[in-house]
Amino acid sequence: MTSTTRGRARRFARRAGSPRSHAVAVPAPVFRPPRLVVRREAGLAAYEAALTRAGFGPVAGADEAGRGACAGPLVVAACILPPGRRGQIDGLDDSKALTAAERERLYDIIVRRAVAYSVVTVPAAEIDAYGLHVANLAGMRRALGTLTPAPRYALTDGFPVKGLAVPGTAVWKGDATVGCIAAASILAKVTRDAIMTEMHETWPQYAFAQHKGYVTPAHSAALTDWGPCPEHRRRYVNVARAMRGQAGMDENDDDYAGEYAMSLETV
């Protein structure tokens, strides 16, 4: 065999995939998530509709009530609304923008129409033990995790929630722009208001039925006169100040400051 013939044979062997051939690396395809088109004309259902079209339905929304209160529990709710017109509830909005009567009316409709909903109560003691934001996140996970059927996507109001079993997105002002978050907001608010009204029967001196545990002049005066009850959040600076006053501590007491003082910025 001549050198020319041997060269041709080697080239042929390489092309035929002999052991002497060299493999060519083929880059793996890059995953590109589907582009979501949010149609504004869909109103509060726009986000859920876009995610459902992309294959992420059912979509759940989650929100809480009582984050800024210094007494009572934090209540977290999650909700899946049905697709189509049945999930588009007239008057649905951020619970804080509605009157108590409107919230009560919408609460009954949401409970009746929802595909699934869950309400979780985080007591004041848990908020004191772990901190407000940590307790809030834990409540979100519990509320979303107990929905049946389980969602395939979660939308939360304001801040992201890590550790969910499904993908999720935080929506700024979500309780006013996303239907399932607005529904969760109403479920949480109505539930918490009922708890605080019932709490008023046990501790009428604080007038919980009126201010629902939020800081008002009347609530602050009651804290000064009576000190905190077991439902007050000890981490909150105004409650800690009332505890100091009841115990006769000095404002500059180092032990007090180290154990109870909390910046209002973290509330």
Side-chain angles (χ1 to χ4, degrees), residues 1-12 14:
M1 182 180 293
T2 66
S3 61
T4 302
T5 304
R6 285 195 296 269
R8 289 175 178 172
R10 284 195 295 269
R11 288 196 296 272
F12 178 79
R14 285 197 294 269

Side-chain angles (χ1 to χ4, degrees), residues 143-191:
L144 288 164
T146 53
L147 289 172
T148 303
R152 295 186 63 191
Y153 205 95
L155 296 172
T156 55
D157 181 38
F159 51 84
V161 179
K162 295 181 180 180
L164 297 176
V166 296
T169 299
V171 182
W172 178 247
K173 299 292 185 183
D175 48 6
T177 58
V178 180
C180 57
I181 298 179
S185 170
I186 290 169
L187 292 176
K189 175 65 174 169
V190 172
T191 299

Side-chain angles (χ1 to χ4, degrees), residues 14 23 48 57 61 65 79 85 91 111 113-114 141 149 152 158 162 174 178 189 201 205 210 235 243 249 257 263:
R14 285 197 294 269
E48 293 111 306
C79 182
R85 291 186 178 180
V111 169
R113 294 191 188 181
R141 294 187 195 101
R152 295 186 63 191
K162 295 181 180 180
V178 180
K189 175 65 174 169
E201 301 300 320
Q205 66 268 38
Q210 279 69 51
R235 278 179 174 249
M243 291 175 67
M249 292 180 180
S263 170

Side-chain angles (χ1 to χ4, degrees), residues 20-39:
R20 294 175 57 87
S21 65
H22 299 283
V24 178
V26 178
V30 177
F31 173 74
R32 300 185 185 280
R35 180 173 176 267
L36 298 182
V37 179
V38 179
R39 297 171 180 167

